[in-house]
Coordinates of all heavy atoms in Angstrom, one line a residue:
M1 N 0.9 -1.1 0.0 CA 0.0 0.0 0.0 C 0.9 1.2 0.0 O 1.8 1.3 0.7 CB -0.9 -0.1 1.3 CG -1.8 1.2 1.4 SD -2.8 1.2 2.8 CE -4.1 0.0 2.2
R2 N 0.5 2.1 -0.8 CA 1.4 3.4 -0.9 C 0.7 4.5 0.0 O -0.5 4.4 0.4 CB 1.3 4.0 -2.3 CG 1.9 2.9 -3.3 CD 2.0 3.5 -4.6 NE 3.2 4.3 -4.5 CZ 3.7 4.9 -5.6 NH1 3.2 4.7 -6.8 NH2 4.8 5.6 -5.5
G3 N 1.5 5.4 0.4 CA 1.0 6.5 1.3 C 2.2 7.2 1.9 O 3.4 6.9 1.7
K4 N 1.8 8.3 2.6 CA 2.8 9.2 3.2 C 3.6 8.5 4.3 O 3.0 7.8 5.1 CB 2.1 10.4 3.7 CG 3.0 11.4 4.3 CD 2.3 12.6 4.8 CE 3.2 13.6 5.4 NZ 2.4 14.8 6.0
K5 N 4.8 8.6 4.3 CA 5.7 8.1 5.4 C 6.3 9.3 6.1 O 6.8 10.2 5.4 CB 6.8 7.3 4.9 CG 6.4 6.0 4.3 CD 7.6 5.1 3.9 CE 7.2 3.9 3.2 NZ 8.3 3.1 2.8
T6 N 6.3 9.4 7.3 CA 7.0 10.4 8.1 C 8.1 9.7 8.9 O 7.8 8.7 9.6 CB 6.0 11.1 9.1 OG1 4.9 11.6 8.3 CG2 6.7 12.3 9.8
R7 N 9.3 10.3 8.8 CA 10.4 9.6 9.4 C 10.4 9.8 10.9 O 10.3 10.9 11.3 CB 11.7 10.1 8.7 CG 12.9 9.4 9.1 CD 14.1 10.0 8.4 NE 15.3 9.4 8.9 CZ 16.0 8.6 8.2 NH1 15.7 8.3 6.9 NH2 17.1 8.1 8.6
I8 N 10.7 8.7 11.6 CA 10.8 8.7 13.0 C 12.1 7.9 13.3 O 12.3 6.9 12.8 CB 9.7 8.1 13.7 CG1 8.4 8.9 13.7 CG2 10.0 7.8 15.2 CD1 7.3 8.4 14.5
L9 N 13.0 8.5 14.0 CA 14.2 7.9 14.5 C 14.1 7.6 16.1 O 13.7 8.6 16.8 CB 15.4 8.8 14.2 CG 15.7 9.1 12.8 CD1 16.8 10.1 12.7 CD2 16.0 7.8 12.1
L10 N 14.2 6.4 16.5 CA 14.2 6.1 17.8 C 15.6 5.6 18.3 O 16.3 4.9 17.7 CB 13.2 4.9 18.0 CG 11.8 5.0 17.7 CD1 11.0 3.8 17.9 CD2 11.1 6.2 18.5
S11 N 15.9 6.1 19.6 CA 17.0 5.5 20.2 C 16.7 4.1 20.7 O 15.5 3.7 20.7 CB 17.4 6.3 21.5 OG 16.4 6.2 22.5
E12 N 17.7 3.3 21.0 CA 17.5 2.0 21.5 C 16.6 2.0 22.7 O 15.8 1.1 22.9 CB 18.8 1.2 21.6 CG 18.7 -0.2 21.8 CD 17.9 -1.0 20.7 OE1 18.1 -0.7 19.6 OE2 17.2 -2.0 21.1
N13 N 17.0 2.9 23.6 CA 16.2 3.0 24.8 C 14.7 3.3 24.6 O 13.8 2.7 25.2 CB 16.8 4.1 25.7 CG 16.1 4.2 27.1 OD1 15.9 3.2 27.7 ND2 15.9 5.4 27.5
E14 N 14.4 4.3 23.7 CA 13.0 4.6 23.3 C 12.4 3.3 22.7 O 11.2 3.1 23.1 CB 13.0 5.7 22.3 CG 13.3 7.1 22.9 CD 13.4 8.1 21.8 OE1 13.8 7.9 20.6 OE2 13.1 9.3 22.2
K15 N 13.0 2.7 21.8 CA 12.4 1.5 21.1 C 12.1 0.4 22.2 O 11.0 -0.1 22.2 CB 13.4 1.0 20.2 CG 12.8 -0.2 19.4 CD 13.8 -0.7 18.4 CE 13.3 -1.9 17.6 NZ 14.3 -2.4 16.6
Q16 N 13.0 0.2 23.1 CA 12.8 -0.9 24.1 C 11.6 -0.5 25.1 O 10.8 -1.3 25.5 CB 14.0 -1.1 25.0 CG 15.1 -1.8 24.2 CD 14.7 -3.1 23.6 OE1 14.0 -3.9 24.2 NE2 15.0 -3.3 22.3
H17 N 11.6 0.8 25.4 CA 10.5 1.3 26.3 C 9.1 1.2 25.5 O 8.2 0.8 26.2 CB 10.7 2.7 26.7 CG 9.9 3.2 27.8 ND1 10.4 3.3 29.1 CD2 8.6 3.6 27.9 CE1 9.4 3.7 29.9 NE2 8.4 3.9 29.2
L18 N 9.1 1.6 24.3 CA 7.8 1.5 23.5 C 7.4 0.0 23.4 O 6.2 -0.3 23.5 CB 8.0 2.1 22.2 CG 8.1 3.7 22.2 CD1 8.6 4.2 20.9 CD2 6.7 4.3 22.5
L19 N 8.4 -0.9 23.1 CA 8.0 -2.3 23.1 C 7.4 -2.8 24.4 O 6.4 -3.6 24.3 CB 9.3 -3.1 22.7 CG 9.7 -3.0 21.3 CD1 11.1 -3.7 21.1 CD2 8.7 -3.7 20.4
K20 N 8.0 -2.4 25.4 CA 7.4 -2.9 26.7 C 6.0 -2.3 27.0 O 5.2 -3.0 27.4 CB 8.3 -2.4 27.9 CG 9.6 -3.2 28.1 CD 10.4 -2.6 29.2 CE 11.8 -3.3 29.3 NZ 12.7 -2.8 30.3
L21 N 5.9 -1.0 26.6 CA 4.5 -0.4 26.8 C 3.5 -1.1 25.9 O 2.4 -1.4 26.3 CB 4.6 1.1 26.3 CG 4.9 2.1 27.3 CD1 5.0 3.5 26.7 CD2 4.0 2.1 28.5
S22 N 3.8 -1.5 24.7 CA 2.9 -2.1 23.7 C 2.5 -3.5 24.1 O 1.6 -4.0 23.6 CB 3.5 -2.1 22.3 OG 4.6 -3.0 22.2
N23 N 3.3 -4.1 25.0 CA 3.0 -5.5 25.5 C 2.4 -5.5 26.9 O 2.1 -6.6 27.3 CB 4.2 -6.3 25.3 CG 4.6 -6.6 23.9 OD1 3.7 -6.9 23.1 ND2 5.9 -6.4 23.6
K24 N 2.4 -4.4 27.6 CA 1.9 -4.5 29.0 C 0.3 -4.7 29.0 O -0.4 -4.1 28.2 CB 2.1 -3.1 29.7 CG 3.5 -3.1 30.3 CD 3.6 -1.8 31.1 CE 4.8 -1.8 32.0 NZ 4.8 -0.5 32.7
L25 N -0.1 -5.6 29.9 CA -1.5 -5.8 30.0 C -2.2 -4.8 30.9 O -3.5 -4.6 30.7 CB -1.7 -7.2 30.6 CG -1.2 -8.4 29.7 CD1 -1.4 -9.7 30.5 CD2 -1.9 -8.4 28.4
N26 N -1.5 -4.1 31.7 CA -2.2 -3.2 32.6 C -2.0 -1.7 32.2 O -2.2 -0.8 32.9 CB -1.7 -3.3 34.0 CG -0.2 -3.0 34.1 OD1 0.5 -3.1 33.1 ND2 0.3 -2.9 35.4
T27 N -1.6 -1.6 30.9 CA -1.5 -0.2 30.3 C -2.7 0.2 29.6 O -3.3 -0.7 29.0 CB -0.3 -0.1 29.3 OG1 0.9 -0.6 30.0 CG2 0.0 1.2 28.7
S28 N -3.1 1.5 29.5 CA -4.3 1.8 28.9 C -4.3 1.5 27.4 O -3.2 1.5 26.8 CB -4.6 3.4 29.1 OG -3.7 4.1 28.2
Y29 N -5.4 1.3 26.9 CA -5.5 0.9 25.5 C -4.9 2.0 24.6 O -4.2 1.7 23.6 CB -7.0 0.7 25.1 CG -7.3 0.3 23.7 CD1 -7.0 -0.9 23.1 CD2 -7.8 1.4 22.8 CE1 -7.2 -1.2 21.8 CE2 -8.0 1.1 21.4 CZ -7.7 -0.1 20.9 OH -7.9 -0.4 19.6
K30 N -5.3 3.3 24.9 CA -4.8 4.4 24.0 C -3.3 4.4 24.0 O -2.6 4.6 23.0 CB -5.3 5.7 24.5 CG -6.7 6.0 24.3 CD -7.1 7.3 24.8 CE -8.5 7.7 24.6 NZ -8.9 9.0 25.1
L31 N -2.6 4.2 25.2 CA -1.2 4.3 25.3 C -0.6 3.0 24.5 O 0.5 3.3 23.8 CB -0.7 4.2 26.7 CG 0.6 4.7 27.1 CD1 0.9 6.1 26.6 CD2 0.9 4.6 28.6
V32 N -1.1 1.9 24.6 CA -0.6 0.8 23.9 C -0.7 1.0 22.4 O 0.3 0.8 21.7 CB -1.4 -0.5 24.3 CG1 -1.1 -1.7 23.3 CG2 -1.1 -0.9 25.7
M33 N -1.9 1.5 21.9 CA -2.0 1.8 20.5 C -1.0 2.9 20.0 O -0.5 2.8 18.9 CB -3.4 2.2 20.2 CG -4.4 1.1 20.4 SD -4.1 -0.3 19.3 CE -4.8 0.3 17.8
R34 N -0.8 3.9 20.8 CA 0.1 4.9 20.4 C 1.6 4.4 20.3 O 2.3 4.8 19.4 CB 0.0 6.1 21.4 CG -1.3 6.8 21.1 CD -1.6 7.8 22.2 NE -3.0 8.3 22.1 CZ -3.6 9.0 23.1 NH1 -3.0 9.3 24.2 NH2 -4.8 9.4 22.8
A35 N 2.0 3.6 21.3 CA 3.3 2.9 21.3 C 3.4 2.1 20.0 O 4.5 2.2 19.3 CB 3.5 2.1 22.5
K36 N 2.4 1.3 19.6 CA 2.5 0.5 18.5 C 2.6 1.3 17.2 O 3.4 1.0 16.3 CB 1.3 -0.4 18.4 CG 1.3 -1.6 19.4 CD 0.1 -2.4 19.2 CE 0.1 -3.6 20.3 NZ -1.1 -4.4 20.1
L37 N 1.9 2.4 17.2 CA 1.9 3.3 16.1 C 3.2 3.9 15.8 O 3.7 3.9 14.7 CB 0.9 4.5 16.4 CG 0.5 5.5 15.4 CD1 -0.8 6.1 15.6 CD2 1.6 6.6 15.4
I38 N 3.9 4.4 16.9 CA 5.3 4.9 16.8 C 6.2 3.9 16.4 O 7.1 4.2 15.5 CB 5.7 5.6 18.1 CG1 4.8 6.8 18.5 CG2 7.1 6.1 18.1 CD1 4.6 7.9 17.4
L39 N 6.1 2.7 16.9 CA 7.1 1.7 16.5 C 6.9 1.3 15.0 O 7.9 1.1 14.3 CB 6.8 0.4 17.3 CG 7.3 0.5 18.7 CD1 6.7 -0.7 19.6 CD2 8.8 0.4 18.8
L40 N 5.7 1.2 14.5 CA 5.4 0.9 13.2 C 6.0 2.0 12.2 O 6.5 1.9 11.2 CB 3.9 0.7 12.9 CG 3.4 -0.6 13.4 CD1 1.9 -0.6 13.4 CD2 4.0 -1.7 12.6
A41 N 5.7 3.3 12.7 CA 6.2 4.4 11.9 C 7.8 4.4 11.8 O 8.4 4.7 10.8 CB 5.7 5.7 12.4
A42 N 8.4 4.1 12.9 CA 9.9 4.0 13.0 C 10.4 2.9 12.1 O 11.5 3.0 11.6 CB 10.3 3.9 14.4
S43 N 9.6 1.9 11.8 CA 10.0 0.8 11.1 C 9.9 1.1 9.5 O 10.3 0.3 8.8 CB 9.3 -0.5 11.4 OG 8.0 -0.4 10.9
G44 N 9.4 2.3 9.2 CA 9.2 2.7 7.9 C 7.9 2.4 7.2 O 7.7 2.6 6.0
K45 N 6.9 2.0 8.0 CA 5.6 1.8 7.4 C 4.9 3.2 7.0 O 5.1 4.1 7.7 CB 4.7 1.1 8.4 CG 5.1 -0.2 8.9 CD 5.0 -1.3 7.9 CE 5.4 -2.6 8.4 NZ 6.0 -3.6 7.4
A46 N 4.1 3.1 6.0 CA 3.3 4.3 5.6 C 2.2 4.5 6.5 O 1.6 3.6 7.1 CB 2.8 4.2 4.1
N47 N 1.8 5.9 6.6 CA 0.7 6.1 7.5 C -0.6 5.4 7.2 O -1.3 4.9 8.2 CB 0.4 7.7 7.5 CG 1.5 8.5 8.0 OD1 2.5 8.0 8.5 ND2 1.4 9.8 8.0
N48 N -0.9 5.2 6.0 CA -2.1 4.4 5.6 C -2.0 3.0 6.0 O -3.0 2.4 6.5 CB -2.4 4.6 4.1 CG -2.9 5.9 3.7 OD1 -3.4 6.7 4.5 ND2 -2.8 6.3 2.5
E49 N -0.8 2.4 5.9 CA -0.7 1.1 6.3 C -0.7 0.9 7.8 O -1.3 -0.1 8.3 CB 0.8 0.6 5.8 CG 1.1 -0.8 5.9 CD 2.4 -1.2 5.3 OE1 3.1 -0.4 4.7 OE2 2.8 -2.4 5.5
I50 N -0.2 1.8 8.6 CA -0.4 1.8 10.0 C -1.8 1.9 10.4 O -2.2 1.2 11.2 CB 0.5 3.0 10.6 CG1 2.0 2.8 10.3 CG2 0.3 3.0 12.1 CD1 2.9 3.9 10.7
A51 N -2.5 2.9 9.8 CA -3.9 3.1 10.1 C -4.7 1.8 9.8 O -5.5 1.4 10.7 CB -4.4 4.2 9.3
E52 N -4.4 1.2 8.7 CA -5.2 -0.1 8.4 C -4.8 -1.2 9.4 O -5.7 -1.9 9.9 CB -4.8 -0.6 7.0 CG -5.6 -1.7 6.5 CD -5.4 -2.0 5.1 OE1 -5.3 -1.1 4.2 OE2 -5.2 -3.3 4.8
K53 N -3.5 -1.3 9.7 CA -3.2 -2.4 10.6 C -3.7 -2.2 12.0 O -4.1 -3.2 12.7 CB -1.6 -2.4 10.7 CG -1.1 -3.6 11.6 CD 0.5 -3.7 11.5 CE 1.1 -4.7 12.3 NZ 0.8 -6.0 11.8
L54 N -3.8 -1.0 12.5 CA -4.2 -0.7 13.9 C -5.8 -0.4 13.9 O -6.3 -0.1 15.0 CB -3.5 0.4 14.5 CG -2.0 0.1 14.7 CD1 -1.3 1.4 15.3 CD2 -1.7 -1.1 15.6
D55 N -6.4 -0.4 12.7 CA -7.9 -0.1 12.6 C -8.2 1.3 13.2 O -9.1 1.4 14.0 CB -8.7 -1.2 13.3 CG -10.1 -1.1 12.9 OD1 -10.4 -0.6 11.7 OD2 -11.0 -1.5 13.6
I56 N -7.4 2.2 12.7 CA -7.6 3.7 13.1 C -7.6 4.6 11.9 O -7.2 4.1 10.8 CB -6.6 4.2 14.1 CG1 -5.1 4.0 13.6 CG2 -6.8 3.5 15.5 CD1 -4.1 4.6 14.5
Q57 N -8.0 5.8 12.0 CA -8.0 6.7 10.9 C -6.5 7.2 10.6 O -5.8 7.4 11.5 CB -8.8 8.0 11.2 CG -10.3 7.7 11.4 CD -11.0 7.2 10.1 OE1 -10.7 7.7 9.1 NE2 -11.8 6.2 10.2
P58 N -6.2 7.4 9.3 CA -4.9 7.9 9.0 C -4.6 9.2 9.6 O -3.5 9.5 9.9 CB -5.0 8.1 7.4 CG -6.0 7.0 7.0 CD -7.0 7.0 8.1
R59 N -5.5 10.1 9.8 CA -5.3 11.4 10.5 C -4.8 11.2 11.8 O -4.0 12.0 12.4 CB -6.5 12.3 10.3 CG -7.7 11.8 11.1 CD -8.9 12.8 11.1 NE -10.1 12.2 11.6 CZ -10.4 12.0 12.9 NH1 -9.5 12.5 13.8 NH2 -11.5 11.5 13.2
V60 N -5.3 10.1 12.5 CA -4.8 9.9 13.9 C -3.3 9.5 13.8 O -2.5 9.9 14.7 CB -5.6 8.7 14.5 CG1 -5.0 8.4 15.9 CG2 -7.1 9.1 14.6
V61 N -2.9 8.7 12.9 CA -1.5 8.3 12.7 C -0.7 9.6 12.5 O 0.4 9.8 13.1 CB -1.3 7.3 11.5 CG1 0.2 7.1 11.3 CG2 -2.1 6.1 11.8
T62 N -1.1 10.4 11.5 CA -0.4 11.7 11.2 C -0.2 12.5 12.5 O 0.9 13.0 12.7 CB -1.2 12.4 10.1 OG1 -1.2 11.6 9.0 CG2 -0.4 13.7 9.8
K63 N -1.3 12.7 13.3 CA -1.3 13.5 14.5 C -0.2 13.0 15.4 O 0.6 13.8 16.0 CB -2.7 13.5 15.1 CG -2.8 14.0 16.5 CD -4.1 13.8 17.1 CE -4.1 14.0 18.6 NZ -5.5 13.8 19.2
W64 N -0.2 11.7 15.7 CA 0.7 11.1 16.8 C 2.2 11.1 16.3 O 3.1 11.3 17.0 CB 0.3 9.9 17.2 CG -0.9 10.1 18.2 CD1 -2.2 9.9 18.0 CD2 -0.8 10.6 19.5 NE1 -2.9 10.3 19.0 CE2 -2.1 10.8 20.0 CE3 0.2 11.1 20.3 CZ2 -2.4 11.4 21.3 CZ3 0.0 11.6 21.6 CH2 -1.3 11.7 22.0
V65 N 2.4 10.9 15.0 CA 3.7 10.9 14.4 C 4.2 12.3 14.6 O 5.4 12.6 15.0 CB 3.8 10.4 13.0 CG1 5.1 10.7 12.3 CG2 3.5 8.9 13.0
Q66 N 3.4 13.4 14.2 CA 3.8 14.8 14.3 C 4.1 15.1 15.7 O 5.2 15.7 16.1 CB 2.8 15.7 13.7 CG 2.7 15.7 12.2 CD 1.6 16.5 11.7 OE1 0.6 16.8 12.5 NE2 1.6 16.9 10.4
R67 N 3.3 14.7 16.7 CA 3.5 15.0 18.1 C 4.7 14.4 18.6 O 5.5 15.0 19.3 CB 2.3 14.6 18.9 CG 2.4 15.1 20.3 CD 1.2 15.0 21.1 NE 0.0 15.7 20.6 CZ -1.2 15.5 21.1 NH1 -1.4 14.7 22.1 NH2 -2.2 16.1 20.6
W68 N 5.0 13.2 18.2 CA 6.2 12.5 18.6 C 7.4 13.2 18.1 O 8.4 13.5 18.9 CB 6.3 11.0 18.1 CG 7.5 10.3 18.5 CD1 8.6 10.2 17.8 CD2 7.6 9.6 19.8 NE1 9.6 9.4 18.6 CE2 9.0 9.1 19.8 CE3 6.8 9.4 20.9 CZ2 9.4 8.4 20.9 CZ3 7.3 8.7 21.9 CH2 8.6 8.2 21.9
N69 N 7.5 13.6 16.9 CA 8.6 14.4 16.3 C 8.7 15.8 16.9 O 9.9 16.2 17.1 CB 8.5 14.5 14.8 CG 8.8 13.2 14.2 OD1 9.6 12.3 14.7 ND2 8.3 13.0 12.9
E70 N 7.6 16.4 17.3 CA 7.7 17.7 18.0 C 8.4 17.7 19.3 O 8.9 18.6 19.8 CB 6.3 18.4 18.0 CG 5.7 18.8 16.7 CD 4.3 19.1 16.8 OE1 3.7 19.0 17.9 OE2 3.7 19.5 15.7
T71 N 8.2 16.5 20.0 CA 8.7 16.4 21.3 C 10.1 15.7 21.4 O 10.6 15.3 22.4 CB 7.8 15.7 22.3 OG1 7.4 14.4 21.8 CG2 6.4 16.4 22.4
A72 N 10.6 15.3 20.2 CA 11.8 14.6 20.1 C 13.1 15.2 20.8 O 13.9 14.6 21.3 CB 12.2 14.2 18.7
D73 N 13.0 16.6 20.8 CA 14.2 17.3 21.3 C 14.1 17.3 22.9 O 15.0 17.8 23.5 CB 14.3 18.7 20.8 CG 13.1 19.5 21.0 OD1 12.0 19.0 21.3 OD2 13.1 20.8 20.8
C74 N 13.0 16.9 23.4 CA 12.8 16.8 24.9 C 13.2 15.5 25.5 O 12.3 14.7 25.9 CB 11.3 17.2 25.2 SG 10.8 18.7 24.6
E75 N 14.4 15.1 25.3 CA 14.9 13.8 25.8 C 14.6 13.5 27.2 O 14.4 12.3 27.5 CB 16.4 13.6 25.5 CG 16.7 13.6 24.0 CD 18.2 13.4 23.8 OE1 18.9 13.0 24.7 OE2 18.7 13.7 22.7
Q76 N 14.5 14.4 28.1 CA 14.3 14.2 29.4 C 12.7 13.9 29.7 O 12.4 13.5 30.7 CB 14.7 15.3 30.3 CG 13.9 16.6 30.2 CD 14.3 17.5 29.1 OE1 15.0 17.2 28.2 NE2 13.8 18.7 29.0
T77 N 11.9 14.2 28.7 CA 10.5 13.9 28.8 C 10.2 12.4 28.8 O 10.7 11.7 27.9 CB 9.7 14.6 27.7 OG1 10.0 16.0 27.7 CG2 8.2 14.4 27.9
D78 N 9.4 12.0 29.8 CA 9.1 10.6 29.9 C 8.2 10.2 28.6 O 7.4 10.9 28.1 CB 8.2 10.4 31.1 CG 7.9 8.9 31.4 OD1 8.7 8.1 31.1 OD2 6.8 8.7 32.0
I79 N 8.5 8.9 28.2 CA 7.8 8.4 26.9 C 6.3 8.4 27.1 O 5.6 8.8 26.2 CB 8.4 7.1 26.5 CG1 9.7 7.3 25.9 CG2 7.5 6.4 25.5 CD1 10.5 6.1 25.5
E80 N 5.8 8.0 28.3 CA 4.4 8.0 28.6 C 3.8 9.4 28.5 O 2.7 9.6 27.9 CB 4.1 7.5 30.0 CG 4.1 5.9 29.9 CD 5.4 5.4 30.5 OE1 6.3 6.3 30.7 OE2 5.5 4.2 30.7
L81 N 4.6 10.5 28.9 CA 4.1 11.8 28.7 C 4.0 12.3 27.3 O 3.1 13.0 26.9 CB 5.0 12.8 29.5 CG 4.9 12.7 31.0 CD1 5.9 13.7 31.7 CD2 3.5 13.0 31.6
R82 N 4.9 11.8 26.5 CA 5.0 12.1 25.0 C 3.7 11.5 24.3 O 3.3 12.0 23.3 CB 6.3 11.6 24.4 CG 7.5 12.5 24.8 CD 8.7 11.9 24.3 NE 8.9 12.2 22.9 CZ 9.9 11.8 22.1 NH1 10.8 11.0 22.7 NH2 9.9 12.1 20.9
L83 N 3.2 10.4 24.9 CA 2.1 9.7 24.3 C 0.8 10.0 24.9 O -0.3 9.6 24.4 CB 2.3 8.1 24.4 CG 3.5 7.6 23.6 CD1 3.7 6.1 23.9 CD2 3.5 7.8 22.1
A84 N 0.8 10.9 25.9 CA -0.5 11.2 26.7 C -1.3 12.3 25.9 O -0.6 13.1 25.1 CB -0.1 11.7 28.0
D85 N -2.5 12.3 26.2 CA -3.3 13.4 25.6 C -2.9 14.7 26.2 O -2.5 14.8 27.4 CB -4.8 13.1 26.0 CG -5.4 12.0 25.2 OD1 -5.2 11.9 24.0 OD2 -6.2 11.2 25.8
L86 N -3.0 15.8 25.4 CA -2.7 17.1 26.0 C -3.9 17.6 26.7 O -5.1 17.2 26.5 CB -2.4 18.0 24.8 CG -1.2 17.7 24.0 CD1 -1.0 18.7 22.9 CD2 0.1 17.8 24.9
D87 N -3.7 18.5 27.7 CA -4.8 19.1 28.3 C -5.7 19.9 27.4 O -5.2 20.6 26.5 CB -4.3 20.0 29.4 CG -3.7 19.3 30.6 OD1 -4.0 18.1 30.8 OD2 -2.9 19.8 31.3
R88 N -6.9 19.8 27.5 CA -7.9 20.6 26.7 C -8.2 21.9 27.3 O -8.4 22.0 28.5 CB -9.2 19.8 26.5 CG -9.0 18.5 25.8 CD -10.4 17.8 25.6 NE -10.2 16.6 24.9 CZ -11.2 15.9 24.4 NH1 -12.5 16.4 24.5 NH2 -11.0 14.7 23.8
P89 N -8.3 22.9 26.5 CA -8.6 24.3 27.1 C -10.0 24.2 27.7 O -11.0 23.6 27.1 CB -8.7 25.1 25.9 CG -8.2 24.4 24.7 CD -8.1 23.0 25.1
G90 N -10.2 24.7 28.8 CA -11.5 24.8 29.5 C -11.9 23.6 30.2 O -12.9 23.4 30.8
A91 N -11.0 22.5 30.2 CA -11.3 21.3 30.9 C -10.8 21.3 32.3 O -9.9 21.9 32.7 CB -10.7 20.1 30.1

């Protein structure tokens, strides 16, 4: 399947942490799916392919790949925080 690919580079530590998150039984569904999404993107899969594999919308893939890349320079930020929902205004 063809589609847009957004490059993600993971350190070995990030990759191992994301793998652990994606296999934890007591982790929230959203966090597991986001970890899997980032791992698939880092392996070179196209956004449409990731969306199909995870049964989510391609725009969701694009959103989380962009957010991951935007927080890439914040190495001290915990991976779970990078995958967490942002606070909503007025909430």
